[in-house]
Amino acid sequence: MAAVIVSAVRTAVATARRGSLVDVPTEVLARHILSAAIDRSRLAPELIDDVIFAESLYGGGAVARHAAVEAGIVNAGGMALNRHCAGSLSAIAVAAGSIMAGMDRAIVAGGVHSSSFMPMLAWRTPGSDDYSDTRFPPTHPNEPEAPNDDMTITVGWSAAQAAGLSREEQDEWALRSHQRAVAATDAGRLAEEIAPIRVQRRDGTEFDFAVDEHPRRDTSMERLGSLKVIHPEIDGFSITAGNSSGINDAAAALMVVDESVARAEGLEIMARVRGWCSVGVPPRDTGISVIRVVPKLLGRTGVAQSDIAIWEINEAFASVPLATCRALGIDEEIVNVSGSGCSIGHPIAASGARMVTSLIYELRRRGGGLGVAAMCAGGGQAGSLMIEV
């Protein structure tokens, strides 16, 4: 059994809490992207076995099943998956694994995330009847060197320290990310992977949201250099808002099917899933976890690093892909060729599927080849996925 991708689509990425999707709930984004993935695949909805959507800091439930019912796909189940930032990479992997095992024929896999609608959670304090509100569950606790509620230290700064990166090097990476995202947008390269969503403004007017709004055209090394570091009390701290990822809203989904189904139904095969894996590391090493997951993925698939045509390494912070490239000897020119977290943004549970979608379209433009998406994830882990176009 072979798992192939017959559609890949995402929404444009919005800036959270003040952007175009500020009043579009998570479940509406999920329904929209599920319908878009089905429509683009041309697969009969009754052939879909399951829907697997990653969600992070959403508050529980199973948005995938809700979206399936709302989209009229009542015959398909719905699974919620959480691996924090790497959740939608794992959703694709779980879908591919089930298909390759012969248990399912067609699964829509992806992720949805709205920081604009991230709920507050009430947790009872053990030994009392008192409740406290927080956005973070107790299964993801703070540690002295890895504060859960401050990823600038746990991820960004830890990676910068481990790789000996300067503030200037991180700002240069972030600037290039914005420049690449703007260039890709202007050239129309991202339009084909985006499914516009109709949005109603608070004044009642409507518009189609179809272009990533987080990339900054006006940024420069001077502007980035003028930003204050987030923790000036920490000697040498180099993480700023400029070399960090955005806080964003978006959704992305892919239709993963058995190759025999694709051929029988006359569907266009966009890519094949070649392999996937994850790793765990001490939480303080989250920012350099990709350095471990990439060799593991290459070893499992038997593919040489030099055979990878392009890479997507999520810019949770600029220090993460920069540290990874330095440690593994990856050519920076073929990493995040149309931007990433610093520019396009990082809608947490949707980022992995967004990255794989971008990989597919870019590889198709280049005539095919192998692509890898890899990213660190909260709690001290990393996920990765390899595709072939």
Side-chain angles (χ1 to χ4, degrees):
M1 301 287 184
V4 300
I5 295 167
V6 296
S7 73
V9 62
R10 67 178 180 92
T11 66
V13 179
T15 300
R17 301 169 190 151
R18 56 187 174 85
S20 294
L21 298 177
V22 64
D23 290 322
V24 180
T26 308
E27 55 271 19
V28 174
L29 288 175
R31 182 184 66 222
H32 171 76
I33 208 64
L34 172 61
S35 296
I38 295 170
D39 290 345
R40 289 193 178 200
S41 73
R42 297 187 297 109
L43 182 71
E46 60 268 21
L47 296 180
I48 299 170
D49 293 306
D50 210 349
V51 180
I52 305 173
F53 276 176
E55 52 188 66
S56 181
L57 302 176
Y58 177 61
V63 70
R65 176 57 183 164
H66 173 84
V69 172
E70 290 292 301
I73 318 299
V74 295
N75 58 287
M79 178 193 297
L81 189 151
N82 191 344
R83 199 189 290 275
H84 299 297
C85 304
S88 52
L89 277 188
S90 291
I92 300 168
V94 170
S98 184
I99 287 165
M100 293 167 73
M103 295 295 101
D104 287 301
R105 302 168 299 171
I107 300 174
V108 182
V112 58
H113 186 87
S114 174
S115 289
S116 296
F117 278 89
M118 192 166 68
M120 293 295 291
L121 306 175
W123 299 94
R124 186 173 64 82
T125 303
S128 78
D129 294 323
D130 297 329
Y131 281 78
S132 60
D133 292 335
T134 177
R135 295 189 186 278
F136 302 98
T139 53
H140 196 14
N142 284 319
E143 295 184 5
E145 294 181 318
N148 168 56
D149 55 359
D150 193 343
M151 291 297 169
T152 66
I153 295 174
T154 301
V155 178
W157 180 228
S158 69
Q161 284 186 300
L165 304 175
S166 68
R167 159 79 180 273
E168 183 178 21
E169 288 174 317
Q170 295 170 73
D171 285 352
E172 286 174 345
W173 184 287
L175 174 61
R176 184 172 59 185
S177 180
H178 282 280
Q179 291 172 336
R180 287 179 170 183
V182 169
T185 299
D186 290 349
R189 297 203 308 270
L190 302 181
E192 61 183 338
E193 65 190 54
I194 293 174
I197 181 170
R198 193 72 173 168
V199 176
Q200 185 177 67
R201 299 184 179 92
R202 291 181 180 180
D203 64 6
T205 60
E206 295 184 346
F207 70 102
D208 288 324
F209 178 52
V211 178
D212 298 321
E213 65 185 13
H214 196 72
R216 298 185 64 94
R217 294 177 176 274
D218 60 351
T219 197
S220 64
M221 283 299 290
E222 291 73 26
R223 285 178 179 267
L224 290 170
S226 70
L227 298 174
K228 295 180 179 179
V229 298
I230 294 172
H231 286 288
E233 76 281 5
I234 298 177
D235 186 43
F237 201 80
S238 56
I239 308 303
T240 71
N243 55 40
S244 305
S245 63
I247 301 174
N248 304 96
D249 307 330
L254 301 90
M255 180 72 79
V256 188
V257 306
D258 188 296
E259 185 172 1
S260 64
V261 172
R263 298 198 181 282
E265 298 297 320
L267 309 181
E268 179 187 10
I269 295 175
M270 300 182 72
R272 286 174 170 78
V273 180
R274 287 287 301 269
W276 59 87
C277 71
S278 62
V279 298
V281 298
R284 67 177 181 276
D285 293 336
T286 300
I288 54 173
S289 59
V290 180
I291 296 171
R292 284 192 53 196
V293 82
V294 166
K296 183 177 180 180
L297 175 67
L298 296 174
R300 283 192 169 180
T301 56
V303 172
Q305 183 172 298
S306 58
D307 289 334
I308 305 302
I310 52 173
W311 302 75
E312 285 276 341
I313 302 175
N314 187 42
E315 295 164 359
F317 297 87
S319 58
V320 175
L322 190 51
T324 303
C325 289
R326 297 282 174 86
L328 300 180
I330 298 173
D331 181 0
E332 297 175 8
E333 292 302 312
I334 56 172
V335 177
N336 304 342
V337 297
S338 297
S340 184
C342 289
S343 53
I344 292 175
H346 182 18
I348 299 171
S351 286
R354 194 284 303 165
M355 291 161 61
V356 175
T357 296
S358 295
L359 270 179
I360 290 171
Y361 283 97
E362 183 61 31
L363 284 167
R364 284 162 64 90
R365 279 189 290 271
R366 295 174 180 229
L370 294 167
V372 167
M375 58 204 307
C376 62
Q381 51 186 334
S384 61
L385 186 95
M386 183 186 295
I387 60 166
E388 182 175 11
V389 171

